[in-house]
């Protein structure tokens, strides 16, 4: 019997997963959480083998930070394994989740039997990735390190400091329009669509000091 904890901020989604997982005789749901903070608390209390984790959780900490805290829970017993179950498959999301300690990364479009199999694999510490996610990971591993210009690296450094476009423009003595142009190129090169994603991937790729 594999024990799990559900974490998703949508009650309807949780209800659907509970009904689905209830049809599997070898999976037991110990509890459900609607926020990252609640998931961490319940994981520490219930100690499931697997936490089924969404990434976007509304207010509070997101699924990545919840994953990081859950996988860092003290021994004994061993911390739960986290299996991400989400609709998001951008390079930044995948990189952040795996970097936080997720054992697997599954998309919600998967068939029920794939979900059941992934849960059992995660319980044993084996990595399971949805096919589209595995393809992106392999492409990322095969690809060369992103090459950013000196100006793009300057702007990335200012992003990491938390500066907005206007402050970056002032700091680098360029126009806001130029900042926006460079940001677009940075996003394309790093495969992200947000400022936080750009900083996260840049740190993973060691593009920042």
């Amino acid at each position: 019997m594999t024990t799990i904890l559900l974490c998703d901020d949508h009650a309807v989604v949780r209800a659907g997963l509970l009904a689905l997982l209830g049809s599997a005789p070898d999976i037991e749901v110990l509890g459900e959480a609607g926020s990252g903070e609640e998931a961490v608390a319940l994981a520490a209390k219930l100690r499931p083998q697997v936490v089924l984790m969404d990434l976007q959780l509304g207010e509070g900490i997101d699924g990545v930070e919840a994953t990081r805290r859950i996988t860092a829970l003290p021994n004994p017993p061993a911390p739960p394994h986290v299996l991400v179950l989400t609709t998001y498959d951008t390079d930044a999301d995948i990189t952040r989740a795996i970097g936080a300690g997720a054992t697997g990364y599954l998309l919600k479009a998967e068939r029920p039997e794939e979900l059941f199999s992934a849960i059992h694999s995660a319980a044993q510490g084996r990595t399971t990735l949805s096919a589209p996610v595995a393809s992106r990971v392999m492409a990322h591993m095969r690809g060369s390190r992103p090459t950013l210009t000196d100006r793009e690296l300057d702007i990335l450094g200012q992003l990491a400091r938390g500066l907005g476009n206007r402050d970056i423009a002032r700091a680098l003595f360029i126009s806001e329009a130029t900042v926006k142009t460079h940001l677009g190129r940075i996003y394309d090169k790093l495969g992200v669509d947000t400022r936080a994603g750009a900083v996260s991937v840049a740190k993973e790729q060691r593009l920042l000091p």
Side-chain angles (χ1 to χ4, degrees), residues 50-195:
V50 178
V51 177
L52 209 54
M53 178 70 68
D54 194 10
L55 290 184
Q56 301 296 331
L57 298 174
E59 296 182 0
I61 63 174
D62 64 6
V64 171
E65 179 58 28
T67 295
R68 183 175 292 110
R69 296 185 188 184
I70 288 171
T71 56
L73 288 173
N75 294 317
H81 295 288
V82 176
L83 174 61
V84 171
L85 181 65
T86 184
T87 57
Y88 302 91
D89 65 345
T90 68
D91 290 347
D93 287 323
I94 296 167
T95 298
R96 292 178 64 231
I98 294 176
T103 298
Y105 198 109
L106 217 62
L107 299 179
K108 289 181 177 178
E110 292 290 351
R111 299 188 305 273
E113 55 267 28
E114 295 293 338
L115 173 59
F116 298 157
S117 177
I119 288 172
H120 291 307
S121 292
Q124 298 174 39
R126 298 201 305 266
T127 299
T128 300
L129 303 173
S130 287
V133 174
S135 296
R136 294 179 78 98
V137 170
M138 291 303 295
H140 182 70
M141 292 177 65
R142 287 194 298 265
S144 59
R145 184 180 178 185
T147 301
L148 301 183
T149 66
D150 289 341
R151 178 58 81 190
E152 288 166 353
L153 288 172
D154 288 341
I155 290 176
L156 199 53
Q158 301 301 321
L159 277 184
R161 293 177 54 203
L163 298 186
N165 289 359
R166 179 176 297 180
D167 290 330
I168 292 175
R170 289 174 177 172
L172 300 179
F173 302 102
I174 56 178
S175 69
E176 285 189 60
T178 300
V179 171
K180 291 179 181 178
T181 297
H182 283 302
L183 281 177
R185 292 171 182 166
I186 291 170
Y187 289 174
D188 287 341
K189 290 181 178 181
L190 299 184
V192 302
D193 53 14
T194 65
R195 303 166 78 89

Side-chain angles (χ1 to χ4, degrees), residues 6-63:
L6 297 180
C7 181
D8 195 294
D9 63 331
H10 292 98
V12 172
V13 173
R14 295 199 306 274
L17 286 171
L18 284 170
L20 176 63
L21 294 169
S23 68
D26 49 2
I27 294 176
E28 179 185 3
V29 180
L30 299 182
E32 57 179 292
S35 69
E37 290 85 352
E38 187 179 8
V40 174
L42 286 177
K45 177 182 178 181
L46 302 176
R47 289 290 179 160
Q49 291 170 279
V50 178
V51 177
L52 209 54
M53 178 70 68
D54 194 10
L55 290 184
Q56 301 296 331
L57 298 174
E59 296 182 0
I61 63 174
D62 64 6

